Amino acid sequence: MLSNVVEWLWPGASFGLANQLAQLWFGFTLLLWLAAACYSVTFIKRQVGFYWLFFIVAMSGNLLLIVAQDVLGFYLGFALMSLSAYALVIHSGSSQARRAGRLYLQLAIVGELLLFAAIVLRVHESDGNLALAELTMDSIQPLTLLLLLLGFGLKAGFFPLHVWLPQAHPAAPAPASAVLSGAMIKAGLFGLWVFVPASAVVVQQWAVVLLVLGLCSALFGAVIALWHQQSKVVLAYSSVSQMGYMLMALAIVWLSTGDARVMAATVLVGYACHHAFLKAALFLGAGACSSYRLQRFHWLAIGWCLFTLVALPLSSGAAVKYGLKQGLMAQQSSPVWLAEWLYGLLSVGALTTALLALHLWCLLRQQQMATHSQSMPAVSGWMNSGWLILVVASISMPFAVISTQPFWWASISLSAVWASSWPVLAAVLLFLIVRQIGWILPERWRDPQSRFVWLSLRAKRLYQTQSRAEWQVRWPGWRSLERQINQGLQRAELLSTAAVVLSSVMLILWLLH
Amino acid sequence: MNYALAAVLLPLLAALLALGWRRYAAWVSWGGTILSLLCAIVALQQVLSDGPQQMLLGNWPTGLAIRWQLSELTALLLLLTTVIHSLVASYSLTSLRRLQVAADFWPLSSLLQMSLSALWLSTDLFNWYVTLELLGLVAVAMVTLSGNKSVAAALRYLLLSLAGSLCYLLGVALLYGQFGVLDVAELATRMPASESHMTTFALVLMTAGLMLKGALWPLHLWLPAAHAVAPAPVSALLSALVVKGPLFILWMLWSQLATVELSHAAAGFFLFAGSMALLTGGWSALRTPYAKVMVAYSTVAQLGYALLAIGLALRSADPAFQLALWLFIIAHALAKTSAFLAVGEMQHSLGGKRVQMLKGASQTMPVAMFALAVAGGSLIGLPPSGGFLAKWQLLLPLWPEWQLWLWLLVIFLGTLLSAAYVFRLVVLAFDRADPVKPDFAPQLLPQWLALVPALLVWGLAFGSHSFVHWLGG
Amino acid sequence: MDFNSWLPLLIVLSSLIPGLLIFTLAEHRTLLRTCLNLSGVVIKLLLVVWMWLGVKAGEDYFFQLPFLPGGPFILHGDALSLQFVMLSSVLWLATTVYAIGYLENSPLRSRFFGYFSLCVSATVGLALSGNLVTFVLFYELLTLATFPLVVHRGTPQSLRAGRRYLAYTISGGVLLLMGAALLHSVAGSPVFMPGGYLSAQLDTQSMALIVAFVLLIAGLGVKAALLPLHGWLPEAMVAPAPVSALLHAVAVVKAGAFGIVRVVYDVFGVEVMQQLDLTWPLVVLASSTILYGSWRALQQQDIKRRLAYSTVSQVSYVTLGVAMLGPVAAIGGLVHLVHQGVMKITLFFCAGNYAETLGIHKVHELNGVGRRMPLSSVAFSLGALGMIGIPPTAGMVSKWYLSMGALEAGFPWVLGVLLMSSALNAAYFLPLLYRIWCLPAAEWPEERRLSDRFETHWMLLLPPVLTGALIVLMGVLAGTDISPLSWTELIVEREFGYVE
């Protein structure tokens, strides 16, 4: 653990990794960026300089916000990451990418500003203290909390702040989507975790709402994903869904006390780590699927990732889902009936996730079939190595990360295995039935267009109005009046007028006297 | 005192010599001016060291004698007159070859200097009349120097000047008839005590005459035509010096001879007239299409400040207003000299009378244009010019008295108007798209001479301490 | 008198004398003119650094000359004036280099550089003014010295702009003069002092003080481009690029803002301001200017015009920070004086580069210019991001302190204003960056080959690159001892006795 103040940077600048969980967060983020970088080496073919420039800036931003121990450093990292990601989103230069990029940037700026306001308010609440460690001790105003939730939520992308996510992820190149979905959106969550004081009364009240919101997000994302036919869109919605689970985990952290809170925090970080690896690996796979010839072991890797996604036993998913359920039941602050309902609905969530996974598998297979030919290039060594890092990390995560080990062990108990498997089995059954009937989604329901792209265009027109002249005074016809006066003055009777004026003045003076 | 007397008589001598010795008229007149300048400097120094002095001509007893007085103020005005005259004379000397005015200019200008200097030194009503009359006649004669085109304006000037003199003379006669003395100091002891309709009438008559001669609103209408038509050095002398004589007498009359109530009533009129002069003069200057007419109207407007200062000084006991009056007179004289010389120079080189001829002048005649702009800065009252100093002195005592806010507003508007007409010229001068080509290569020395008074007036502010001290602020 | 008391005068003269000499030079003596210019710049900078070190160590620099009765001519180097002097001198250096490159082979350079130096002398004199009378003096001189620069091109359009400039600034100058006269008649013109010098008159003359305040702010507001008085600034953008840089970053606009700082802190003082309840009108005025300027900037299709409206908005940050009267807000406002200067000068340099090299004047012509002129475009982008307040640029630092100060001083709604303004800033700057970097290049309106090695003439390129680097450095290294932020903290410490 290291933490030191750097005097010569911005006011209050200090860096360090406060605890083991932060170290873990830093570790998986770094690993993810490394993997994406490896993958990018051969995957990125146009505008290579730009890509790497912004890739590196975004990466440093992302890492900086984790190591920063002061508010300004955090904000700096966050902003660097958000804004340079824009360049990654629009990298392909297609009109779709630009549209998505516009929406992304608009929301990123809005989020940035809201976040700025939130941070200012937060620092003001804690007497101008710039150290992050001292922020968590204080109470928080509802407005500040709201702003924090909006600001970070726009980045984290849970329902209903997810609108940019299904647009931006498909538009970006695969490794960029991987880091976007794996690391960057987690930064929003990380921010909430760091900035919100768990024990404050307001937070306790709002956390229950967030718990419900998280589940909504989880179900919504998974269900909407089924409507879509593009693998990367499906993955994006899956991220929305998974962020919902993580939001629940965060809410549980806030709601629990003592040891339970420590456990919940472990679950949160574990979940983030688990999702980071698997989602990044899936994005890489989806990217490769459309233009490269995949080998059998690639499909194996994709299969494993989906396996982990649906949280089947032995995977890291099972461990963290188990932890989530435990945490949900262990916390005392929310009403018991709510916890039980949510517990039940988590199984529904698992079912929808499983359906999503099956849908995705089919899509990927179709994609490879549709474009498959011998002329397609093989996946290069650089790409393979990036992929390999992620899959290995995903497999080994429950063992490598000491703090999540107990959950893994617990998740292979018989009851846990059953609890995690039956929704999947049900989903498979449902899937098979649907297949058997031959029911397919009607054409008009497929790929619903987001209204938000249109709204973003409207917003753009709003601020790109044409110039209008400022208000100016116009004197109507005063020149002719002036000319008349001048002519009058020039006449010969001028002198007599002057004399009259003079004598009248004298008269007045006389009278005054 | 003798030096002051020399400063008066030297120009007279020069004028006579120049009349006789036509060939060297220019040099004689110029030499007389320079010598009188030296005398004026010595006289000022004497006054400052020994205090005010007076002299009785012919050693007659007080009351009958012609009394000449040299105070700090009159010494300063004397110096101002000689300085400006020497500058104008130097300018005329450098542009001798091409100046259309004949040798007549030189004796006339020396005579003008003499009569004005005598006016400053005089202290009795009749002496003032004589110098005033002389001043007026010389001025008219000088206006006619530009030839036939000036006859109409000069004739009008002559008639009005005579009318003004007559008014003034009538007033003097009335007072003499009643009191039997003409010396202002003597009258001041007798007149306020025995005030009657007759004395009031006399004062009003004299005021009317002086206002006519001094081109004070509403009797200013002859001025723009006369000043604009005269050759540049003449216009400079007329605007800078001639109109100041009546103003001086006006102030002496009202501050010394009138009762408090009467002077308060008159102050109201002066304030009104001053405001109108400022506003209408400024407006006319802004709108006129001719460059010299613009500068002439600017004189009308600037005299408005002096009227305001007189009015306020009559109303209030604050000596700052008096100080402001003299500062205005000094600053305006210097600035206007510069402005007229510069405009005349540019008019000569660039050709044309209209304001439009100044297009591009900052490229073709930078020094003259700079002189005009700097002089204009003083007319506006931009720091650290003399005009600024005067305005500052006027504003300071005005502020604490809230009932006088109207005059503050007038000063504000007047300043804006003066800025408008000055910068109207200046902006034109920076035109590069469509500049006016000079008819022939501009001469540099006259331009620099035109700049000198402008620089003097800007230096005035840094000598303000001594001015304030001398003028009893 | 020892050297210390002559130093302020020397700093003023170090640009005045070269300026006057330059006027007399013939047009073709480029080398001599350049030497004079640069020697003036360097000498001034050295003197300023000397004084800067001295003030830091607690020295006092005081020069006095009799001037008006009761109002001497005073030059006084204190922490606040040094902030502005330093800014002007450093940016003058950059602008001089830029102007030499910009005006290469164009006519009337002697006139241009003469007035250029006079303009900076007036600015520095204004910064060093020790009392209100001296301040008014230099304020007017600044107007006069800048005008020939604004109309330098001499086209009908620039003459129109010049008329407008004069109409506004002269009226403002007269108002300021009126206000100064009123204050002089009430309390004389003593030396500026922290906490003001009017508390003795507070009870008896409160009406006069309010009138004086209104007059002074109206007069200064013209140059600071406060809301109803800003009309000259967007017009004046027809001037050559170095002049725009000078107007917007070094001299004129800053002079107004600096004057407001002086009036609020050193003439009236915090207590009198609060007693007279003069705070909130100024805050409201500044806030509305911020929003209005940004909103107008959105609608402009001319690059320089857009930048000009942006200045209208950004300079009011200074006024806003000062008007809120809290120490933290004051840090924000004062540091923005410097930050805005550096950022805006970079933007104007780059806009000038685009116009000179490729003939680009309109927003839509910017497409793809990033690849043709990468260095200028990077500098431009940094300036734009700084204006929005994106970390790690300097703009972020000022925005942060302003926001914190707003909360501390009890104006929470100001935070909303700042956010709105940032959003608008983003809305009018980011599309430019998008065009520069992300869109494919089209035909340039009028391409000129100014250099074989670089994208444009090196003298045009060096200044924006350096100031662009400064933007980031001032943000990242804000905590160092030589950063503007540290100096501002020193000022506020001396004004408020406030230690963070």
Side-chain angles (χ1 to χ4, degrees):
Chain A
M1 163 148 178
L2 79 171
S3 167
N4 51 5
V5 179
V6 185
E7 293 279 346
W8 46 271
L9 285 177
W10 53 87
S14 70
F15 303 96
L17 290 167
N19 50 41
Q20 209 185 359
L21 294 179
Q23 285 168 15
L24 178 58
W25 202 298
F26 184 81
F28 83 72
T29 309
L30 185 62
L31 201 63
L32 201 60
W33 280 96
L34 277 179
C38 287
Y39 192 86
S40 307
V41 172
T42 49
F43 188 79
I44 298 298
K45 296 189 181 67
R46 63 187 291 274
Q47 303 207 342
V48 180
F50 268 102
Y51 178 83
W52 283 107
L53 173 67
F54 287 104
F55 188 87
I56 287 171
V57 173
M59 179 174 84
S60 21
N62 197 351
L63 296 179
L64 175 64
L65 77 92
I66 300 170
V67 273
Q69 286 300 302
D70 68 301
V71 171
L72 290 175
F74 179 91
Y75 182 61
L76 165 62
F78 200 84
L80 280 183
M81 182 191 79
S82 294
L83 297 179
S84 43
Y86 169 73
L88 301 181
V89 171
I90 62 156
H91 178 258
S92 76
S94 67
S95 59
Q96 187 212 356
R98 285 193 205 155
R99 271 199 300 274
R102 186 175 61 228
L103 179 63
Y104 172 78
L105 191 63
Q106 283 168 343
L107 288 175
I109 291 284
V110 170
E112 207 70 21
L113 294 176
L114 294 176
L115 189 59
F116 179 79
I119 292 179
V120 168
L121 285 168
R122 189 81 193 92
V123 172
H124 181 65
E125 279 166 9
S126 51
D127 300 327
N129 233 319
L130 291 175
L132 281 179
E134 292 171 47
L135 287 184
T136 46
M137 303 302 173
D138 302 295
S139 62
I140 190 167
Q141 294 289 321
L143 176 66
T144 316
L145 183 58
L146 179 68
L147 287 171
L148 278 174
L149 280 173
L150 287 175
F152 284 123
L154 273 171
K155 177 63 44 191
F158 49 76
F159 175 85
L161 303 170
H162 66 280
V163 291
W164 61 274
L165 221 141
Q167 304 296 326
H169 283 202
S177 313
V179 284
L180 207 58
S181 198
M184 291 196 222
I185 60 174
K186 307 271 183 330
L189 212 63
F190 183 76
L192 280 177
W193 187 36
V194 169
F195 272 86
V196 177
S199 330
V201 183
V202 193
V203 179
Q204 292 294 315
Q205 290 164 350
W206 288 37
V208 181
V209 181
L210 289 183
L211 206 57
V212 177
L213 192 69
L215 193 78
C216 290
S217 181
L219 294 177
F220 167 86
V223 171
I224 293 294
L226 298 179
W227 261 252
H228 285 270
Q229 306 297 317
Q230 271 179 290
S231 56
K232 283 171 98 180
V233 180
V234 172
L235 278 171
Y237 274 111
S238 159
S239 287
V240 174
S241 155
Q242 296 293 311
M243 285 313 285
Y245 289 117
M246 275 174 262
L247 185 63
M248 284 180 80
L250 183 65
I252 292 169
V253 174
W254 291 342
L255 285 171
S256 21
T257 48
D259 282 346
R261 179 176 287 175
V262 177
M263 188 189 83
T266 313
V267 171
L268 172 66
V269 178
Y271 208 122
C273 182
H274 138 80
H275 176 245
F277 292 139
L278 90 91
K279 190 50 63 69
L282 280 175
F283 264 113
L284 296 187
C289 202
S290 54
S291 41
Y292 290 90
R293 199 171 65 243
L294 295 190
Q295 310 287 333
R296 186 174 298 270
F297 63 90
H298 291 125
W299 289 111
L300 209 61
I302 292 176
W304 165 256
C305 289
L306 292 176
F307 189 73
T308 318
L309 178 66
V310 298
L312 280 169
L314 298 177
S315 71
S316 58
V320 292
K321 276 272 172 62
Y322 180 81
L324 188 67
K325 286 177 184 168
Q326 291 298 309
L328 183 61
M329 297 320 286
Q331 53 85 16
Q332 305 292 319
S333 305
S334 72
V336 178
W337 60 267
L338 184 69
E340 281 172 355
W341 265 97
L342 289 174
Y343 191 88
L345 283 171
L346 275 179
S347 301
V348 181
L351 185 132
T352 51
T353 308
L355 281 176
L356 183 147
L358 288 167
H359 178 54
L360 183 66
W361 175 261
C362 297
L363 282 178
L364 287 175
R365 291 299 298 186
Q366 278 169 18
Q367 215 172 347
Q368 177 82 142
M369 294 299 176
T371 56
H372 186 64
S373 71
Q374 290 305 314
S375 62
M376 295 264 282
V379 180
S380 73
W382 278 107
M383 287 166 72
N384 274 333
S385 60
W387 213 341
L388 188 71
I389 292 174
L390 291 175
V391 175
V392 168
S394 176
I395 294 171
S396 60
M397 184 220 126
F399 315 104
V401 180
I402 310 293
S403 46
T404 53
Q405 269 183 16
F407 300 125
W408 191 80
W409 287 114
S411 72
I412 52 174
S413 70
L414 205 59
S415 60
V417 167
W418 172 242
S420 61
S421 324
W422 73 258
V424 180
L425 290 176
V428 171
L429 207 63
L430 198 61
F431 187 76
L432 287 175
I433 292 170
V434 168
R435 271 233 144 146
Q436 206 60 44
I437 298 170
W439 186 82
I440 51 167
L441 199 63
E443 196 70 43
R444 63 198 160 88
W445 285 3
R446 285 185 199 171
D447 293 328
Q449 284 300 308
S450 167
R451 242 184 117 63
F452 287 93
V453 179
W454 177 78
L455 279 177
S456 127
L457 187 68
R458 291 297 296 267
K460 176 192 151 192
R461 298 220 175 108
L462 204 65
Y463 61 69
Q464 291 195 341
T465 46
Q466 284 295 311
S467 126
R468 263 167 286 163
E470 272 192 279
W471 184 76
Q472 277 182 340
V473 190
R474 295 206 189 286
W475 304 88
W478 64 285
R479 279 298 304 272
S480 62
L481 183 70
E482 190 196 18
R483 202 167 291 137
Q484 279 172 14
I485 293 174
N486 284 345
Q487 281 165 0
L489 283 174
Q490 287 297 321
R491 294 225 180 88
E493 57 264 25
L494 193 71
L495 287 177
S496 53
T497 330
V500 171
V501 170
L502 186 68
S503 43
S504 53
V505 165
M506 277 153 67
L507 207 66
I508 291 165
L509 275 179
W510 192 282
L511 288 176
L512 273 178
H513 177 65
Chain B
M1 189 68 213
N2 289 332
Y3 283 101
L5 215 54
V8 177
L9 294 179
L10 273 171
L12 182 63
L13 188 66
L16 292 175
L17 278 175
L19 266 181
W21 206 1
R22 303 284 289 216
R23 200 164 161 196
Y24 297 104
W27 291 103
V28 168
S29 173
W30 185 74
T33 307
I34 296 298
L35 283 179
S36 64
L37 172 65
L38 296 176
C39 292
I41 292 173
V42 178
L44 178 66
Q45 217 155 24
Q46 277 184 350
V47 169
L48 291 179
S49 56
D50 305 343
Q53 304 158 1
Q54 62 174 344
M55 179 183 187
L56 300 172
L57 276 192
N59 281 334
W60 289 349
T62 335
L64 289 174
I66 298 174
R67 191 165 62 92
W68 283 21
Q69 190 181 18
L70 187 71
S71 63
E72 284 94 342
L73 172 64
T74 48
L76 210 56
L77 290 173
L78 190 64
L79 181 64
L80 177 75
T81 313
T82 51
V83 164
I84 287 180
H85 190 256
S86 53
L87 280 168
V88 172
S90 310
Y91 169 84
S92 311
L93 206 59
T94 54
S95 49
L96 195 59
R97 295 259 169 74
R98 44 160 234 246
L99 213 63
Q100 298 95 333
V101 292
D104 293 339
F105 170 79
W106 298 102
L108 284 175
S109 76
S110 287
L111 217 53
L112 186 139
Q113 187 198 349
M114 189 281 289
S115 44
L116 195 66
S117 307
L119 191 152
W120 301 137
L121 294 179
S122 306
T123 55
D124 68 300
L125 296 180
F126 189 72
N127 233 4
W128 278 339
Y129 166 72
V130 172
T131 49
L132 213 52
E133 192 65 53
L134 192 58
L135 199 63
L137 290 175
V138 172
V140 170
M142 289 180 88
V143 170
T144 59
L145 285 175
S146 354
N148 287 337
K149 62 186 173 179
S150 64
V151 169
L155 204 61
R156 200 152 137 203
Y157 184 18
L158 177 69
L159 284 174
L160 286 171
S161 178
L162 284 177
S165 303
L166 279 179
C167 275
Y168 178 78
L169 188 63
L170 198 57
V172 173
L174 283 174
L175 286 183
Y176 188 68
Q178 191 152 7
F179 300 104
V181 285
L182 288 169
D183 193 282
V184 173
E186 287 290 317
L187 272 175
T189 56
R190 305 182 193 182
M191 222 175 114
S194 61
E195 203 207 356
S196 66
H197 286 300
M198 195 54 84
T199 55
T200 312
F201 186 58
L203 271 180
V204 170
L205 262 183
M206 288 160 91
T207 306
L210 290 170
M211 287 180 79
L212 196 52
K213 287 186 89 87
L216 302 174
W217 192 92
L219 304 171
H220 64 280
L221 288 158
W222 59 269
L223 183 139
H227 284 198
V229 81
V234 176
S235 319
L237 286 177
L238 294 184
S239 238
L241 296 176
V242 173
V243 291
K244 305 291 159 47
L247 207 61
F248 174 77
I249 301 174
L250 194 65
W251 163 248
M252 284 303 181
L253 286 184
W254 284 100
S255 64
Q256 310 236 346
L257 300 185
T259 56
V260 178
E261 297 83 44
L262 194 60
S263 65
H264 268 229
F269 171 69
F270 286 141
L271 285 172
F272 174 70
S275 317
M276 290 308 288
L278 256 180
L279 300 180
T280 59
W283 180 254
S284 307
L286 181 63
R287 299 297 307 165
T288 179
Y290 302 103
K292 277 182 93 174
V293 176
M294 195 218 87
V295 185
Y297 268 117
S298 147
T299 303
V300 173
Q302 293 284 315
L303 289 176
Y305 281 124
L307 271 180
L308 272 182
I310 289 182
L312 290 168
L314 288 178
R315 277 229 169 137
S316 139
D318 201 325
F321 289 122
Q322 282 185 53
L323 185 61
L325 171 64
W326 304 123
L327 284 173
F328 263 120
I329 286 181
I330 295 171
H332 174 248
L334 286 167
K336 205 37 76 67
T337 309
S338 189
F340 263 120
L341 293 184
V343 167
E345 188 63 26
M346 285 191 277
Q347 195 163 323
H348 183 78
S349 299
L350 298 172
K353 290 188 206 165
R354 292 186 166 259
V355 170
Q356 296 292 321
M357 64 135 186
L358 290 177
K359 268 191 179 178
S362 84
Q363 286 89 257
T364 48
M365 300 185 69
V367 183
M369 195 56 226
F370 189 67
L372 182 61
V374 171
S378 173
L379 294 180
I380 302 169
L382 295 175
S385 65
F388 162 72
L389 192 61
K391 199 165 282 176
W392 183 259
Q393 288 300 334
L394 195 61
L395 283 177
L396 280 193
L398 260 184
W399 266 117
E401 300 181 42
W402 293 98
Q403 65 273 24
L404 300 179
W405 63 270
L406 185 63
W407 314 119
L408 280 172
L409 188 67
V410 167
I411 293 174
F412 176 68
L413 291 177
T415 309
L416 288 189
L417 276 172
S418 55
Y421 63 69
V422 168
F423 284 114
R424 179 179 166 219
L425 298 186
V426 174
V427 171
L428 275 178
F430 281 93
D431 195 316
R432 273 166 70 183
D434 180 25
V436 175
K437 297 268 183 312
D439 294 342
F440 45 81
Q443 276 183 289
L444 216 53
L445 190 57
Q447 292 189 48
W448 280 103
L449 278 173
L451 181 59
V452 171
L455 292 181
L456 277 182
V457 75
W458 277 66
L460 210 61
F462 280 94
S464 65
H465 260 271
S466 20
F467 277 104
V468 173
H469 182 66
W470 297 342
L471 296 172
Chain C
M1 275 197 179
D2 57 346
F3 182 71
N4 271 3
S5 54
W6 285 103
L7 191 57
L9 188 68
L10 286 180
I11 288 180
V12 176
L13 291 181
S14 63
S15 51
L16 186 66
I17 292 173
L20 293 178
L21 290 177
I22 286 170
F23 271 121
T24 63
L25 289 182
E27 202 51 45
H28 60 272
R29 312 207 45 185
T30 315
L31 187 66
L32 183 57
R33 187 170 49 234
T34 309
C35 287
L36 270 174
N37 250 326
L38 291 179
S39 61
V41 171
V42 171
I43 291 172
K44 183 190 282 297
L45 205 57
L46 289 178
L47 292 174
V48 170
V49 168
W50 184 333
M51 194 192 245
W52 188 79
L53 292 173
V55 168
K56 204 171 182 185
E59 291 268 347
D60 204 33
Y61 298 92
F62 199 86
F63 175 82
Q64 187 167 359
L65 205 70
F67 178 49
L68 291 178
F73 176 87
I74 296 174
L75 294 177
H76 183 203
D78 59 5
L80 178 57
S81 54
L82 252 275
Q83 170 108 327
F84 191 22
V85 172
M86 195 65 162
L87 171 75
S88 315
S89 313
V90 171
L91 293 189
W92 187 42
L93 171 67
T95 317
T96 305
V97 174
Y98 188 84
I100 292 172
Y102 190 90
L103 291 174
E104 202 170 49
N105 302 325
S106 74
L108 293 172
R109 270 172 297 168
S110 285
R111 186 178 90 184
F112 182 88
F113 283 106
Y115 283 116
F116 204 68
S117 302
L118 289 194
C119 181
V120 171
S121 313
T123 310
V124 172
L126 182 140
L128 288 170
S129 297
N131 60 6
L132 204 52
V133 171
T134 320
F135 184 88
V136 172
L137 167 73
F138 281 112
Y139 193 81
E140 302 284 3
L141 286 182
L142 181 62
T143 307
L144 300 183
T146 335
F147 165 73
L149 299 175
V150 174
V151 295
H152 180 75
R153 288 211 168 115
T155 57
Q157 201 192 3
S158 65
L159 292 184
R160 197 166 55 238
R163 278 194 198 100
R164 194 142 190 207
Y165 173 68
L166 281 176
Y168 276 88
T169 47
I170 294 283
S171 317
V174 177
L175 285 174
L176 182 72
L177 177 69
M178 292 285 204
L182 172 53
L183 274 190
H184 187 90
S185 72
V186 169
S189 287
V191 184
F192 290 135
M193 61 178 90
Y197 52 75
L198 295 173
S199 40
Q201 283 78 20
L202 185 59
D203 298 328
T204 51
Q205 304 254 28
S206 60
M207 191 60 211
L209 294 189
I210 291 176
V211 171
F213 185 78
V214 170
L215 285 172
L216 291 176
I217 293 298
L220 295 165
V222 170
K223 282 217 171 87
L226 281 179
L227 184 50
L229 310 170
H230 65 281
W232 62 273
L233 189 59
E235 292 292 319
M237 61 86 210
V238 296
V243 177
S244 300
L246 203 69
L247 286 180
H248 287 259
V250 186
V252 179
V253 173
K254 285 300 158 59
F258 180 78
I260 292 178
V261 177
R262 274 286 192 217
V263 166
V264 169
Y265 286 141
D266 293 347
V267 174
F268 280 80
V270 176
E271 272 184 32
V272 176
M273 290 280 296
Q274 277 166 346
Q275 296 267 324
L276 293 176
D277 211 12
L278 293 170
T279 310
W280 67 266
L282 200 53
V283 174
V284 171
L285 190 63
S287 303
S288 28
T289 311
I290 288 174
L291 292 181
Y292 180 78
S294 297
W295 180 68
R296 288 291 304 173
L298 263 185
Q299 303 169 355
Q300 308 306 321
Q301 299 306 312
D302 187 294
I303 300 168
K304 283 181 80 181
R305 230 181 147 79
R306 189 173 279 206
L307 293 181
Y309 273 110
S310 157
T311 306
V312 172
S313 160
Q314 293 279 333
V315 166
S316 285
Y317 278 31
V318 182
T319 313
L320 182 69
V322 169
M324 290 191 289
L325 294 182
V328 179
I331 293 181
L334 288 173
V335 84
H336 200 60
L337 193 79
V338 177
H339 287 169
Q340 192 267 351
V342 177
M343 295 188 293
K344 194 41 72 69
I345 209 167
T346 311
L347 289 171
F348 268 106
F349 283 156
C350 295
N353 282 356
Y354 293 150
E356 276 302 286
T357 319
L358 303 174
I360 293 173
H361 296 282
K362 298 284 179 196
V363 168
H364 65 84
E365 294 163 348
L366 276 173
N367 290 4
V369 79
R371 281 164 211 285
R372 169 68 177 76
M373 301 177 67
L375 286 175
S376 302
S377 300
V378 166
F380 189 89
S381 309
L382 287 176
L385 293 178
M387 286 290 169
I388 306 170
I390 305 272
T393 55
M396 159 68 194
V397 177
S398 13
K399 201 169 84 174
W400 173 263
Y401 277 91
L402 278 174
S403 313
M404 289 300 296
L407 292 181
E408 183 218 44
F411 292 95
W413 55 271
V414 166
L415 184 58
V417 171
L418 291 172
L419 288 187
M420 279 290 289
S421 171
S422 292
L424 288 168
N425 269 298
Y428 64 78
F429 272 127
L430 291 182
L432 298 192
L433 300 193
Y434 178 71
R435 284 178 185 279
I436 290 176
W437 296 111
C438 301
L439 288 186
E443 282 282 294
W444 312 120
E446 184 193 347
E447 186 162 1
R448 289 166 61 196
R449 193 146 187 86
L450 293 172
S451 163
D452 293 331
R453 290 184 59 190
F454 303 108
E455 58 198 55
T456 182
H457 194 289
W458 70 269
M459 283 180 127
L460 297 183
L461 191 58
L462 189 65
V465 167
L466 291 184
T467 51
L470 261 187
I471 295 175
V472 177
L473 290 182
M474 287 192 310
V476 174
L477 304 181
T480 42
D481 280 348
I482 54 164
S483 75
L485 183 65
S486 309
W487 188 259
T488 314
E489 278 167 356
L490 178 78
I491 296 172
V492 171
E493 187 188 315
R494 291 189 182 172
E495 293 274 346
F496 286 88
Y498 168 85
V499 184
E500 197 184 4

